[in-house]
Amino acid sequence: MQVNWLDHVNVITDKLDETAEFYKALLNLERRNAPPPLTPENAQWMYDAGGKAIVHINSVDCPRAFDRHVEPGALTGAVHHVALNCSGYDELMQRVDALGTPFQRNTVDAIGLRQIFVSDPNNVLLELNFFGD
């Protein structure tokens, strides 16, 4: 048994359209309707360039196989952040500036890493990692 990669992140929100548009505008992810029985009104999935649905966005009333209490916009409990391996640092900074999104930068010179930290409309912290970019 082995873990191959992070499959997806699920965000529960009361701001479905705003959240989907944020991921589209900032990270250039493609917005698509989630598969049935989910509906366009309760679930949008955000796809990377390889065709993988890496961010699942669900409304608060969306049916879930494993239901638990969540509070949109509240801290995410034990999950501190979601880290994504990215490329195109300069382009992303242009998008951050254009959106007026608050951010924080960090560098880890020892491993050639530049990072940008931003929060989505639901207060989910994103760590965007750029190695050698």
Side-chain angles (χ1 to χ4, degrees), residues 14 16 26 32 44 65 96 99 104 110 131:
D14 55 1
L16 186 73
L26 184 69
R32 297 185 201 168
Q44 294 288 295
V96 167
L99 291 171
Q104 180 179 323
F131 287 93

Side-chain angles (χ1 to χ4, degrees), residues 23-93:
Y23 282 94
K24 179 180 175 182
L26 184 69
L27 301 178
N28 201 33
L29 296 177
E30 180 186 349
R31 179 180 180 172
R32 297 185 201 168
N33 296 336
L38 303 177
T39 69
E41 294 76 31
N42 67 25
Q44 294 288 295
W45 286 8
M46 306 303 293
Y47 287 76
D48 68 10
K52 295 181 182 119
I54 63 169
V55 180
H56 297 180
I57 304 169
N58 298 80
S59 65
V60 292
D61 60 348
C62 183
R64 288 180 272 289
F66 185 95
D67 199 18
R68 68 179 182 88
H69 177 74
V70 294
E71 293 180 42
L75 295 177
T76 56
V79 176
H80 181 265
H81 65 270
V82 175
L84 301 173
N85 183 294
C86 301
S87 58
Y89 182 90
D90 293 334
E91 180 181 344
L92 184 74
M93 282 307 307

